[in-house]
Amino acid sequence: MSKGFMDRAARRILNIIGRARVNLVKDSGPVQMAQLTVNDLETIDNIPIVHDFGFSSNPPAGSDVAMVFVGGDRSNGVIVASNHQKYRVRNLAPGESVIYTQDGKQIYLTASGGIKVAANGQPVEVDNATAVTINASTSVVMNTPLLKVSGDIIDNYQTNSRSMAGMRQVANGHTHKVVNVQGGSSTIETNPPDQDE
């Protein structure tokens, strides 16, 4: 084999794996496409980003990426991993995982078995659920100044069919018998309460 052939093969092998920094990401198509800066002289457009099934993210500008170039061809690359040095969550214990965003929201699976959701002062929303069940062995605590529910609330729902609104309706309209008045033989009922809640 000639020295020229060996040099070309060596360059191809060296070019199989590379790293770069993200300039921007186009996230509107079936596959994300990124523009990358490889070095001061090389910018590459339309490099696909490959994510594991069931997970997707949009790496912000400045993220570091690892690329694989098929056959060492710099025009046929794919991004297989990304990281942003500024926003990466640090000091995780062995076995811990965290999903995080650029603005500080996190879902943190701790080594001790707990799960922490950090909303960073933003809303948390569950959409399009037919039912949400919380199976807690000891208690559910809501530390909030106001709990709002748009529908009815039923306590002890397995044995009680009346909602709190239904119980309030009964309580608001109830009366008490007043016995042994007017000569000791009459029974009358009081008016419903003045304060109905």
Side-chain angles (χ1 to χ4, degrees):
M1 288 186 218
S2 70
K3 183 177 183 322
F5 174 81
M6 293 298 288
D7 288 344
R8 285 192 302 276
R11 276 196 303 276
R12 283 270 174 133
I13 291 170
L14 291 173
N15 282 333
I16 287 177
I17 298 174
R19 64 181 180 179
R21 188 155 282 175
V22 171
N23 294 328
L24 57 91
V25 174
K26 186 170 80 172
D27 197 25
S28 58
V31 176
Q32 281 181 336
M33 305 298 279
Q35 181 193 71
L36 308 174
T37 295
V38 179
N39 54 49
D40 292 340
L41 300 175
E42 187 177 9
T43 297
I44 307 175
D45 283 319
N46 295 319
I47 299 293
I49 303 175
V50 177
H51 296 288
D52 287 329
F53 175 78
F55 177 80
S56 186
S57 66
N58 190 334
S63 295
D64 302 310
V65 295
M67 299 176 294
V68 174
F69 296 98
V70 179
D73 180 359
R74 299 290 275 197
S75 66
N76 191 12
V78 63
I79 296 169
V80 294
S82 63
N83 175 58
H84 197 290
Q85 296 176 20
K86 178 180 177 182
Y87 302 116
R88 188 184 76 79
V89 178
R90 293 168 169 77
N91 301 314
L92 295 177
E96 292 187 330
S97 297
V98 63
I99 299 172
Y100 62 95
T101 63
Q102 181 177 345
D103 65 351
K105 294 186 292 291
Q106 297 179 0
I107 300 175
Y108 177 28
L109 310 179
T110 70
S112 61
I115 300 172
K116 295 182 180 179
V117 178
N120 198 26
Q122 299 176 38
V124 176
E125 193 171 308
V126 177
D127 291 324
N128 299 318
T130 57
V132 176
T133 301
I134 299 173
N135 295 311
S137 61
T138 56
S139 65
V140 174
V141 177
M142 296 183 185
N143 295 312
T144 178
L146 180 64
L147 177 63
K148 296 180 181 180
V149 179
S150 62
D152 285 333
I153 297 175
I154 301 176
D155 68 339
N156 298 308
Y157 73 95
Q158 293 165 318
T159 57
N160 177 29
S161 62
R162 184 172 286 159
S163 69
M164 290 181 67
M167 288 187 281
R168 186 166 54 247
Q169 186 177 17
V170 170
N172 289 345
H174 83 283
T175 59
H176 297 269
K177 294 188 183 306
V178 180
V179 298
N180 298 324
V181 295
Q182 297 179 357
S185 60
S186 298
T187 300
I188 63 171
E189 291 185 357
T190 64
N191 292 325
D194 293 332
Q195 296 78 26
D196 61 1
E197 290 188 11

